[in-house]
Amino acid sequence: MAADRYRSTPGAKSTPYTRDQGIGWSEYRLDKRFERVPADAELAALFECEIGERLLARHFVFYDNDQPTQMSTSYVRWSDVAGTPVADPINEPWPGGTRAQLATLGIRVTAITESFTTAMPNEVEAATLRIGAGVPVLRYTRKHIADTGRVVEVAHPIVRRGDTTIVDFRIDFDD
C-alpha cells in the first residue's frame, strides 16, 4: 500500500484498492451493504460532528479475484449524499473511489489521514477474510477532509490481512 494510492487518473477504471493490489478492474469484486445510522460518540468525534448526526454506513468486502483481502465500513454524511448516486450501492465499485464520488457532489477533498494499529482478528474478521485466528490484521481509520477543513468521510475500521500487507511511505522534502 503506497502512500500516494489516493491519487487518481481521471477516467481510469481503478480505485486505491485496485492500485494497492496491482489488479485490473475485471479482477476486482466488491460485496457491499448500505444503511443509514446515527453517529455514535466515536464516529461523532471522528467526524467532529454532533452525536446522532445521520450517516450513510457503507459496509464493503474487497476481493482480489476470489480472495477476500480487505473489509471496511465507510461512513459519509447523509446530508451530503441523500438522493445522489453516491447513496446507491448499485454504483459500487466507483472508478476513482471515494474521492471521485465526493468530487461529483462538488466536495473537493484536499487531505486524507490514516491511523494504523495491528491486532489479532476477531471472529468476524477471521471468517470474512478467510484467515486463521493466528494471523494478525492491520486495522486503520481513514478520513477524507474537504478543502473547507470539514471531515466528509470516515472509514472505520479498514481491516487487512497482516501477513500479506506492506505499507510503504515516501516523504519528499522541498529543502
Side-chain angles (χ1 to χ4, degrees):
M1 295 176 16
D4 68 348
R5 68 186 173 280
Y6 294 108
R7 295 187 192 283
S8 62
T9 305
K13 280 240 175 179
S14 67
T15 67
Y17 176 80
T18 60
R19 287 189 294 280
D20 284 347
Q21 296 297 112
I23 59 174
W25 201 250
S26 64
E27 300 164 291
Y28 176 32
R29 188 175 110 220
L30 181 69
D31 290 346
K32 65 247 179 187
R33 181 176 59 84
F34 286 22
E35 66 178 326
R36 282 182 281 180
V37 299
D40 61 16
E42 185 176 28
L43 286 168
L46 289 166
F47 269 102
E48 302 169 7
C49 71
E50 296 294 321
I51 292 173
E53 181 172 332
R54 292 187 343 159
L55 305 172
L56 177 64
R58 306 176 307 164
H59 307 277
F60 298 120
V61 178
F62 299 79
Y63 293 80
D64 177 341
N65 289 290
D66 286 325
Q67 178 63 43
T69 60
Q70 179 176 303
M71 58 190 293
S72 71
T73 301
S74 166
Y75 300 88
V76 289
R77 295 171 189 261
W78 183 247
S79 60
D80 288 340
V81 302
T84 73
V86 175
D88 189 344
I90 195 74
N91 295 314
E92 290 288 354
W94 191 298
T98 301
R99 191 166 174 231
Q101 289 175 332
L102 295 171
T104 68
L105 304 176
I107 299 171
R108 186 170 164 258
V109 172
T110 56
I112 298 174
T113 65
E114 293 179 323
S115 176
F116 292 85
T117 63
T118 59
M120 299 312 291
N122 63 37
E123 288 182 22
V124 171
E125 293 165 344
T128 301
L129 297 176
R130 300 182 199 155
I131 57 176
V135 176
V137 293
L138 177 69
R139 287 191 193 108
Y140 58 107
T141 298
R142 176 191 68 215
K143 292 189 216 178
H144 279 75
I145 303 165
D147 56 357
T148 60
R150 187 171 71 106
V151 176
V152 292
E153 185 263 358
V154 171
H156 180 69
I158 299 172
V159 182
R160 292 186 59 97
R161 297 176 62 114
D163 63 338
T164 59
T165 301
I166 298 170
V167 179
D168 288 325
F169 290 95
R170 174 184 165 142
I171 301 169
D172 292 317
F173 296 96
D174 292 333
D175 52 353

